[in-house]
Amino acid sequence: MTALAHEAPTTTEVPEAMSPISLDEALWQAWKSLELPEGFRAEIVEGFIEVSPTGRSSHARIINRLRRLLEKYLEDGDYAVHHDWNVIHGLKAWVPDLFVAPQEDEEFVTEDGLGFAASAVKLVVEVVSPGHENQQRDRVRKRRAYAGAGIPVYVLIDDHDNHGTVTVLTSPSPDEGTYAAETRVPYGTVVEIPEGPAKGFGITEEITGPRQG
């Protein structure tokens, strides 16, 4: 029988450049390197890179109406409506349909210039697109994501919920990824933003259009 010698295992230091990276860091690097065709956007939502097309004409109409009226409402203050821009929280990135943040944005743009720091965003708006995955993203995954970033107000305009609804979510709990307060009304019923720079702004049928169906 041959005896086996027990020797202390040897270790080799992994150069810093070869050190393993986390999934979040890998997703972040992949997201930054994406080159998408015009009309598409990419977001990092709950551990996935989600690529989606920009909205259809009905989607764009709602966003344009809302943007026009909200810009007028905010015009004498220090906050503005932003769109087509990344909102960054840690190694996560979202592209809301609209968001309200400081008008003078230099202080709040991330160091790499890729987007706006979520900590300065006071309100986000998503207009839900058709399709199960799109609806789940805006109603569930981005709801958790925005609450987790502590964004104070999330407005969800949803053609595909019953005959059309507007939901205003407030009082985020970042640790739990939830909003404690929710107001949900059908199209045709005015709902006002309850806090922040857009406090008192009403989302009306002029913005959403009439009830669907």
Side-chain angles (χ1 to χ4, degrees), residues 55-73:
R56 300 180 180 182
S57 58
S58 59
H59 183 277
R61 278 197 298 270
I62 291 174
I63 294 168
N64 289 336
R65 291 171 191 152
L66 175 58
R67 184 183 181 193
R68 184 170 61 251
L69 293 171
L70 191 51
E71 282 176 338
K72 185 175 181 180
Y73 191 84

Side-chain angles (χ1 to χ4, degrees), residues 2 8 24 31 40 47 71 80 101 118 126-127 156-157 167-168 177 182-183 185:
T2 303
D24 284 346
W31 174 79
F40 286 83
E71 282 176 338
E126 297 287 0
V127 178
L156 196 62
I157 300 176
T167 302
V168 178
E182 174 178 338
T183 301
V185 302

